[in-house]
Amino acid sequence: QRGLLIQPSEVPSYMSWSFSAHQLPTSGEVTSLVHVPEQSLLVTLSDHGLYELVPGHPARRIEGLRDATCVYRDRRNQYWVTTDDQLFSFDLANGRFSQVLNVPAGNVRKVVSDKQGRLYLSTYGQGLCVYDPTSRQSWQYDMDHALNGDDKDHLCNNWVCDLMSDS
């Protein structure tokens, strides 16, 4: 059986969320999870898109991006959703997506942000794509392109499966 196991901090026992009991697809895999404070959980399912799970309610598929691969909430509480080769800002209250970037590398896996609010998109096979929402500029960081223009600052390979911010 496929599903999620959730342990809310205010509830000492575990809660099981069965996909089949909520008419969610059981094929594919969970590719990302984002907690929406005081509200719900956003989940991307490979090949099925973005869903919102609200305790005590049926799961809701968020229409608009069937091929969503990752959902992310940054430090400013802005939501971001990726497809294989695009980045969207996401207005959860209105359920609206706004495309902000075509990711030239494609194959986007994960998103994380730094203190300055820049988004780092990991790609499988093409390194990192960095997007600055303030300036709306992006750049590539991979085996051939250094992040700061320094020839010594390259990735050792281009297959970035996951990311974590240490700041």
Side-chain angles (χ1 to χ4, degrees), residues 109-137:
R109 299 286 196 208
K110 300 291 178 189
V111 179
V112 70
S113 60
D114 64 14
K115 284 183 181 178
Q116 290 77 30
R118 292 177 295 217
L119 298 173
Y120 293 78
L121 289 70
S122 70
T123 68
Y124 196 70
Q126 298 297 322
L128 295 173
C129 180
V130 183
Y131 175 70
D132 184 340
T134 304
S135 68
R136 296 184 178 170
Q137 293 184 332

PDB file of all heavy atoms in Angstrom, residues 109-137:
ATOM      1  N   ARG A 109      15.105  18.472 -10.605  1.00  0.00           N
ATOM      2  CA  ARG A 109      14.814  17.525  -9.528  1.00  0.00           C
ATOM      3  C   ARG A 109      14.340  18.214  -8.254  1.00  0.00           C
ATOM      4  O   ARG A 109      13.340  17.867  -7.694  1.00  0.00           O
ATOM      5  CB  ARG A 109      16.053  16.691  -9.194  1.00  0.00           C
ATOM      6  CG  ARG A 109      16.554  15.857 -10.323  1.00  0.00           C
ATOM      7  CD  ARG A 109      15.639  14.695 -10.531  1.00  0.00           C
ATOM      8  NE  ARG A 109      16.330  13.713 -11.356  1.00  0.00           N
ATOM      9  CZ  ARG A 109      15.729  12.875 -12.146  1.00  0.00           C
ATOM     10  NH1 ARG A 109      14.429  12.884 -12.216  1.00  0.00           N
ATOM     11  NH2 ARG A 109      16.399  12.033 -12.867  1.00  0.00           N
ATOM     12  N   LYS A 110      15.124  19.178  -7.753  1.00  0.00           N
ATOM     13  CA  LYS A 110      14.841  19.825  -6.462  1.00  0.00           C
ATOM     14  C   LYS A 110      15.096  21.317  -6.547  1.00  0.00           C
ATOM     15  O   LYS A 110      15.790  21.797  -7.436  1.00  0.00           O
ATOM     16  CB  LYS A 110      15.729  19.241  -5.353  1.00  0.00           C
ATOM     17  CG  LYS A 110      15.553  17.771  -5.116  1.00  0.00           C
ATOM     18  CD  LYS A 110      14.199  17.467  -4.520  1.00  0.00           C
ATOM     19  CE  LYS A 110      14.044  15.963  -4.351  1.00  0.00           C
ATOM     20  NZ  LYS A 110      12.730  15.570  -3.981  1.00  0.00           N
ATOM     21  N   VAL A 111      14.561  22.046  -5.542  1.00  0.00           N
ATOM     22  CA  VAL A 111      14.752  23.491  -5.432  1.00  0.00           C
ATOM     23  C   VAL A 111      15.093  23.807  -3.981  1.00  0.00           C
ATOM     24  O   VAL A 111      14.526  23.221  -3.061  1.00  0.00           O
ATOM     25  CB  VAL A 111      13.467  24.268  -5.820  1.00  0.00           C
ATOM     26  CG1 VAL A 111      13.671  25.771  -5.673  1.00  0.00           C
ATOM     27  CG2 VAL A 111      13.018  23.912  -7.221  1.00  0.00           C
ATOM     28  N   VAL A 112      16.006  24.739  -3.788  1.00  0.00           N
ATOM     29  CA  VAL A 112      16.334  25.255  -2.462  1.00  0.00           C
ATOM     30  C   VAL A 112      16.729  26.721  -2.639  1.00  0.00           C
ATOM     31  O   VAL A 112      17.112  27.134  -3.727  1.00  0.00           O
ATOM     32  CB  VAL A 112      17.462  24.417  -1.794  1.00  0.00           C
ATOM     33  CG1 VAL A 112      18.788  24.634  -2.474  1.00  0.00           C
ATOM     34  CG2 VAL A 112      17.540  24.673  -0.315  1.00  0.00           C
ATOM     35  N   SER A 113      16.616  27.512  -1.573  1.00  0.00           N
ATOM     36  CA  SER A 113      16.982  28.931  -1.667  1.00  0.00           C
ATOM     37  C   SER A 113      18.085  29.258  -0.665  1.00  0.00           C
ATOM     38  O   SER A 113      18.285  28.543   0.316  1.00  0.00           O
ATOM     39  CB  SER A 113      15.770  29.827  -1.435  1.00  0.00           C
ATOM     40  OG  SER A 113      15.221  29.618  -0.155  1.00  0.00           O
ATOM     41  N   ASP A 114      18.779  30.374  -0.915  1.00  0.00           N
ATOM     42  CA  ASP A 114      19.806  30.843   0.011  1.00  0.00           C
ATOM     43  C   ASP A 114      19.284  32.067   0.761  1.00  0.00           C
ATOM     44  O   ASP A 114      18.130  32.483   0.574  1.00  0.00           O
ATOM     45  CB  ASP A 114      21.118  31.117  -0.720  1.00  0.00           C
ATOM     46  CG  ASP A 114      21.044  32.231  -1.752  1.00  0.00           C
ATOM     47  OD1 ASP A 114      20.054  33.000  -1.763  1.00  0.00           O
ATOM     48  OD2 ASP A 114      21.987  32.345  -2.558  1.00  0.00           O
ATOM     49  N   LYS A 115      20.125  32.660   1.599  1.00  0.00           N
ATOM     50  CA  LYS A 115      19.717  33.821   2.410  1.00  0.00           C
ATOM     51  C   LYS A 115      19.289  35.005   1.554  1.00  0.00           C
ATOM     52  O   LYS A 115      18.471  35.807   1.967  1.00  0.00           O
ATOM     53  CB  LYS A 115      20.865  34.256   3.317  1.00  0.00           C
ATOM     54  CG  LYS A 115      21.076  33.371   4.499  1.00  0.00           C
ATOM     55  CD  LYS A 115      22.192  33.934   5.359  1.00  0.00           C
ATOM     56  CE  LYS A 115      22.449  33.051   6.545  1.00  0.00           C
ATOM     57  NZ  LYS A 115      23.558  33.543   7.373  1.00  0.00           N
ATOM     58  N   GLN A 116      19.878  35.135   0.369  1.00  0.00           N
ATOM     59  CA  GLN A 116      19.540  36.254  -0.514  1.00  0.00           C
ATOM     60  C   GLN A 116      18.263  36.010  -1.311  1.00  0.00           C
ATOM     61  O   GLN A 116      17.820  36.869  -2.053  1.00  0.00           O
ATOM     62  CB  GLN A 116      20.702  36.529  -1.480  1.00  0.00           C
ATOM     63  CG  GLN A 116      21.934  37.108  -0.821  1.00  0.00           C
ATOM     64  CD  GLN A 116      22.749  36.059  -0.065  1.00  0.00           C
ATOM     65  OE1 GLN A 116      22.768  34.886  -0.432  1.00  0.00           O
ATOM     66  NE2 GLN A 116      23.388  36.474   1.000  1.00  0.00           N
ATOM     67  N   GLY A 117      17.679  34.827  -1.169  1.00  0.00           N
ATOM     68  CA  GLY A 117      16.436  34.523  -1.866  1.00  0.00           C
ATOM     69  C   GLY A 117      16.628  33.902  -3.240  1.00  0.00           C
ATOM     70  O   GLY A 117      15.654  33.625  -3.936  1.00  0.00           O
ATOM     71  N   ARG A 118      17.886  33.688  -3.650  1.00  0.00           N
ATOM     72  CA  ARG A 118      18.133  33.029  -4.927  1.00  0.00           C
ATOM     73  C   ARG A 118      17.698  31.573  -4.841  1.00  0.00           C
ATOM     74  O   ARG A 118      17.873  30.924  -3.817  1.00  0.00           O
ATOM     75  CB  ARG A 118      19.617  33.099  -5.300  1.00  0.00           C
ATOM     76  CG  ARG A 118      20.077  34.499  -5.626  1.00  0.00           C
ATOM     77  CD  ARG A 118      21.546  34.486  -5.898  1.00  0.00           C
ATOM     78  NE  ARG A 118      22.222  34.114  -4.655  1.00  0.00           N
ATOM     79  CZ  ARG A 118      23.373  34.626  -4.257  1.00  0.00           C
ATOM     80  NH1 ARG A 118      23.999  35.504  -4.980  1.00  0.00           N
ATOM     81  NH2 ARG A 118      23.912  34.239  -3.119  1.00  0.00           N
ATOM     82  N   LEU A 119      17.151  31.077  -5.930  1.00  0.00           N
ATOM     83  CA  LEU A 119      16.713  29.690  -5.993  1.00  0.00           C
ATOM     84  C   LEU A 119      17.759  28.863  -6.739  1.00  0.00           C
ATOM     85  O   LEU A 119      18.251  29.282  -7.793  1.00  0.00           O
ATOM     86  CB  LEU A 119      15.374  29.581  -6.722  1.00  0.00           C
ATOM     87  CG  LEU A 119      14.204  30.312  -6.085  1.00  0.00           C
ATOM     88  CD1 LEU A 119      12.993  30.249  -6.997  1.00  0.00           C
ATOM     89  CD2 LEU A 119      13.887  29.747  -4.724  1.00  0.00           C
ATOM     90  N   TYR A 120      18.064  27.703  -6.205  1.00  0.00           N
ATOM     91  CA  TYR A 120      18.987  26.754  -6.828  1.00  0.00           C
ATOM     92  C   TYR A 120      18.168  25.550  -7.260  1.00  0.00           C
ATOM     93  O   TYR A 120      17.531  24.902  -6.427  1.00  0.00           O
ATOM     94  CB  TYR A 120      20.079  26.333  -5.843  1.00  0.00           C
ATOM     95  CG  TYR A 120      20.999  27.469  -5.479  1.00  0.00           C
ATOM     96  CD1 TYR A 120      20.604  28.440  -4.561  1.00  0.00           C
ATOM     97  CD2 TYR A 120      22.237  27.590  -6.076  1.00  0.00           C
ATOM     98  CE1 TYR A 120      21.439  29.498  -4.235  1.00  0.00           C
ATOM     99  CE2 TYR A 120      23.085  28.649  -5.759  1.00  0.00           C
ATOM    100  CZ  TYR A 120      22.678  29.595  -4.835  1.00  0.00           C
ATOM    101  OH  TYR A 120      23.498  30.648  -4.522  1.00  0.00           O
ATOM    102  N   LEU A 121      18.179  25.272  -8.543  1.00  0.00           N
ATOM    103  CA  LEU A 121      17.430  24.152  -9.095  1.00  0.00           C
ATOM    104  C   LEU A 121      18.421  23.064  -9.502  1.00  0.00           C
ATOM    105  O   LEU A 121      19.306  23.324 -10.325  1.00  0.00           O
ATOM    106  CB  LEU A 121      16.625  24.585 -10.321  1.00  0.00           C
ATOM    107  CG  LEU A 121      15.411  25.483 -10.081  1.00  0.00           C
ATOM    108  CD1 LEU A 121      15.795  26.876  -9.655  1.00  0.00           C
ATOM    109  CD2 LEU A 121      14.579  25.543 -11.332  1.00  0.00           C
ATOM    110  N   SER A 122      18.301  21.900  -8.892  1.00  0.00           N
ATOM    111  CA  SER A 122      19.181  20.807  -9.286  1.00  0.00           C
ATOM    112  C   SER A 122      18.618  20.149 -10.526  1.00  0.00           C
ATOM    113  O   SER A 122      17.407  20.005 -10.679  1.00  0.00           O
ATOM    114  CB  SER A 122      19.335  19.791  -8.155  1.00  0.00           C
ATOM    115  OG  SER A 122      18.149  19.067  -7.956  1.00  0.00           O
ATOM    116  N   THR A 123      19.507  19.795 -11.414  1.00  0.00           N
ATOM    117  CA  THR A 123      19.090  19.089 -12.622  1.00  0.00           C
ATOM    118  C   THR A 123      19.890  17.804 -12.717  1.00  0.00           C
ATOM    119  O   THR A 123      21.037  17.735 -12.265  1.00  0.00           O
ATOM    120  CB  THR A 123      19.323  19.918 -13.899  1.00  0.00           C
ATOM    121  OG1 THR A 123      20.718  20.059 -14.127  1.00  0.00           O
ATOM    122  CG2 THR A 123      18.651  21.275 -13.799  1.00  0.00           C
ATOM    123  N   TYR A 124      19.298  16.819 -13.258  1.00  0.00           N
ATOM    124  CA  TYR A 124      19.971  15.541 -13.392  1.00  0.00           C
ATOM    125  C   TYR A 124      20.640  15.488 -14.761  1.00  0.00           C
ATOM    126  O   TYR A 124      19.988  15.259 -15.766  1.00  0.00           O
ATOM    127  CB  TYR A 124      18.994  14.394 -13.209  1.00  0.00           C
ATOM    128  CG  TYR A 124      19.687  13.089 -12.960  1.00  0.00           C
ATOM    129  CD1 TYR A 124      20.359  12.863 -11.769  1.00  0.00           C
ATOM    130  CD2 TYR A 124      19.700  12.099 -13.918  1.00  0.00           C
ATOM    131  CE1 TYR A 124      21.020  11.674 -11.536  1.00  0.00           C
ATOM    132  CE2 TYR A 124      20.360  10.901 -13.700  1.00  0.00           C
ATOM    133  CZ  TYR A 124      21.020  10.701 -12.501  1.00  0.00           C
ATOM    134  OH  TYR A 124      21.682   9.525 -12.282  1.00  0.00           O
ATOM    135  N   GLY A 125      21.925  15.802 -14.771  1.00  0.00           N
ATOM    136  CA  GLY A 125      22.700  15.768 -16.005  1.00  0.00           C
ATOM    137  C   GLY A 125      23.216  17.116 -16.466  1.00  0.00           C
ATOM    138  O   GLY A 125      24.074  17.192 -17.329  1.00  0.00           O
ATOM    139  N   GLN A 126      22.694  18.215 -15.875  1.00  0.00           N
ATOM    140  CA  GLN A 126      23.116  19.537 -16.332  1.00  0.00           C
ATOM    141  C   GLN A 126      23.500  20.469 -15.186  1.00  0.00           C
ATOM    142  O   GLN A 126      23.467  21.682 -15.335  1.00  0.00           O
ATOM    143  CB  GLN A 126      22.008  20.181 -17.169  1.00  0.00           C
ATOM    144  CG  GLN A 126      21.659  19.417 -18.420  1.00  0.00           C
ATOM    145  CD  GLN A 126      22.814  19.332 -19.398  1.00  0.00           C
ATOM    146  OE1 GLN A 126      23.568  20.271 -19.574  1.00  0.00           O
ATOM    147  NE2 GLN A 126      22.974  18.179 -20.026  1.00  0.00           N
ATOM    148  N   GLY A 127      23.828  19.954 -14.019  1.00  0.00           N
ATOM    149  CA  GLY A 127      24.301  20.780 -12.909  1.00  0.00           C
ATOM    150  C   GLY A 127      23.190  21.549 -12.221  1.00  0.00           C
ATOM    151  O   GLY A 127      22.089  21.051 -12.042  1.00  0.00           O
ATOM    152  N   LEU A 128      23.496  22.791 -11.857  1.00  0.00           N
ATOM    153  CA  LEU A 128      22.550  23.663 -11.163  1.00  0.00           C
ATOM    154  C   LEU A 128      22.142  24.824 -12.057  1.00  0.00           C
ATOM    155  O   LEU A 128      22.955  25.364 -12.794  1.00  0.00           O
ATOM    156  CB  LEU A 128      23.186  24.267  -9.908  1.00  0.00           C
ATOM    157  CG  LEU A 128      23.582  23.337  -8.778  1.00  0.00           C
ATOM    158  CD1 LEU A 128      24.338  24.118  -7.708  1.00  0.00           C
ATOM    159  CD2 LEU A 128      22.356  22.685  -8.184  1.00  0.00           C
ATOM    160  N   CYS A 129      20.889  25.214 -11.923  1.00  0.00           N
ATOM    161  CA  CYS A 129      20.412  26.459 -12.512  1.00  0.00           C
ATOM    162  C   CYS A 129      20.088  27.365 -11.336  1.00  0.00           C
ATOM    163  O   CYS A 129      19.390  26.955 -10.409  1.00  0.00           O
ATOM    164  CB  CYS A 129      19.167  26.210 -13.361  1.00  0.00           C
ATOM    165  SG  CYS A 129      18.523  27.722 -14.114  1.00  0.00           S
ATOM    166  N   VAL A 130      20.635  28.569 -11.326  1.00  0.00           N
ATOM    167  CA  VAL A 130      20.405  29.519 -10.241  1.00  0.00           C
ATOM    168  C   VAL A 130      19.510  30.630 -10.781  1.00  0.00           C
ATOM    169  O   VAL A 130      19.766  31.175 -11.857  1.00  0.00           O
ATOM    170  CB  VAL A 130      21.735  30.107  -9.721  1.00  0.00           C
ATOM    171  CG1 VAL A 130      21.477  31.029  -8.537  1.00  0.00           C
ATOM    172  CG2 VAL A 130      22.701  28.989  -9.341  1.00  0.00           C
ATOM    173  N   TYR A 131      18.449  30.943 -10.019  1.00  0.00           N
ATOM    174  CA  TYR A 131      17.513  31.990 -10.436  1.00  0.00           C
ATOM    175  C   TYR A 131      17.374  32.999  -9.305  1.00  0.00           C
ATOM    176  O   TYR A 131      17.145  32.630  -8.148  1.00  0.00           O
ATOM    177  CB  TYR A 131      16.148  31.383 -10.761  1.00  0.00           C
ATOM    178  CG  TYR A 131      15.096  32.416 -11.072  1.00  0.00           C
ATOM    179  CD1 TYR A 131      15.139  33.164 -12.241  1.00  0.00           C
ATOM    180  CD2 TYR A 131      14.055  32.660 -10.188  1.00  0.00           C
ATOM    181  CE1 TYR A 131      14.185  34.124 -12.523  1.00  0.00           C
ATOM    182  CE2 TYR A 131      13.082  33.605 -10.464  1.00  0.00           C
ATOM    183  CZ  TYR A 131      13.151  34.346 -11.629  1.00  0.00           C
ATOM    184  OH  TYR A 131      12.196  35.296 -11.897  1.00  0.00           O
ATOM    185  N   ASP A 132      17.503  34.274  -9.647  1.00  0.00           N
ATOM    186  CA  ASP A 132      17.331  35.357  -8.683  1.00  0.00           C
ATOM    187  C   ASP A 132      15.978  36.012  -8.939  1.00  0.00           C
ATOM    188  O   ASP A 132      15.811  36.716  -9.940  1.00  0.00           O
ATOM    189  CB  ASP A 132      18.457  36.380  -8.847  1.00  0.00           C
ATOM    190  CG  ASP A 132      18.389  37.490  -7.811  1.00  0.00           C
ATOM    191  OD1 ASP A 132      17.321  37.707  -7.212  1.00  0.00           O
ATOM    192  OD2 ASP A 132      19.428  38.142  -7.602  1.00  0.00           O
ATOM    193  N   PRO A 133      14.983  35.782  -8.067  1.00  0.00           N
ATOM    194  CA  PRO A 133      13.651  36.353  -8.286  1.00  0.00           C
ATOM    195  C   PRO A 133      13.631  37.884  -8.275  1.00  0.00           C
ATOM    196  O   PRO A 133      12.780  38.487  -8.917  1.00  0.00           O
ATOM    197  CB  PRO A 133      12.814  35.813  -7.118  1.00  0.00           C
ATOM    198  CG  PRO A 133      13.559  34.636  -6.607  1.00  0.00           C
ATOM    199  CD  PRO A 133      15.001  34.904  -6.893  1.00  0.00           C
ATOM    200  N   THR A 134      14.580  38.509  -7.565  1.00  0.00           N
ATOM    201  CA  THR A 134      14.618  39.969  -7.509  1.00  0.00           C
ATOM    202  C   THR A 134      15.039  40.564  -8.842  1.00  0.00           C
ATOM    203  O   THR A 134      14.385  41.453  -9.377  1.00  0.00           O
ATOM    204  CB  THR A 134      15.567  40.438  -6.386  1.00  0.00           C
ATOM    205  OG1 THR A 134      15.147  39.845  -5.151  1.00  0.00           O
ATOM    206  CG2 THR A 134      15.545  41.948  -6.255  1.00  0.00           C
ATOM    207  N   SER A 135      16.133  40.069  -9.409  1.00  0.00           N
ATOM    208  CA  SER A 135      16.629  40.606 -10.682  1.00  0.00           C
ATOM    209  C   SER A 135      16.041  39.876 -11.887  1.00  0.00           C
ATOM    210  O   SER A 135      16.201  40.330 -13.012  1.00  0.00           O
ATOM    211  CB  SER A 135      18.154  40.502 -10.735  1.00  0.00           C
ATOM    212  OG  SER A 135      18.550  39.142 -10.810  1.00  0.00           O
ATOM    213  N   ARG A 136      15.404  38.731 -11.636  1.00  0.00           N
ATOM    214  CA  ARG A 136      14.853  37.862 -12.679  1.00  0.00           C
ATOM    215  C   ARG A 136      15.926  37.361 -13.638  1.00  0.00           C
ATOM    216  O   ARG A 136      15.661  37.087 -14.797  1.00  0.00           O
ATOM    217  CB  ARG A 136      13.726  38.568 -13.433  1.00  0.00           C
ATOM    218  CG  ARG A 136      12.548  38.873 -12.548  1.00  0.00           C
ATOM    219  CD  ARG A 136      11.416  39.461 -13.300  1.00  0.00           C
ATOM    220  NE  ARG A 136      10.304  39.691 -12.383  1.00  0.00           N
ATOM    221  CZ  ARG A 136       9.237  40.353 -12.682  1.00  0.00           C
ATOM    222  NH1 ARG A 136       9.088  40.855 -13.886  1.00  0.00           N
ATOM    223  NH2 ARG A 136       8.280  40.518 -11.801  1.00  0.00           N
ATOM    224  N   GLN A 137      17.131  37.209 -13.127  1.00  0.00           N
ATOM    225  CA  GLN A 137      18.231  36.676 -13.922  1.00  0.00           C
ATOM    226  C   GLN A 137      18.517  35.245 -13.491  1.00  0.00           C
ATOM    227  O   GLN A 137      18.277  34.874 -12.339  1.00  0.00           O
ATOM    228  CB  GLN A 137      19.482  37.525 -13.756  1.00  0.00           C
ATOM    229  CG  GLN A 137      19.342  38.907 -14.349  1.00  0.00           C
ATOM    230  CD  GLN A 137      20.638  39.691 -14.242  1.00  0.00           C
ATOM    231  OE1 GLN A 137      21.442  39.480 -13.350  1.00  0.00           O
ATOM    232  NE2 GLN A 137      20.823  40.599 -15.192  1.00  0.00           N
TER     233      GLN A 137
END
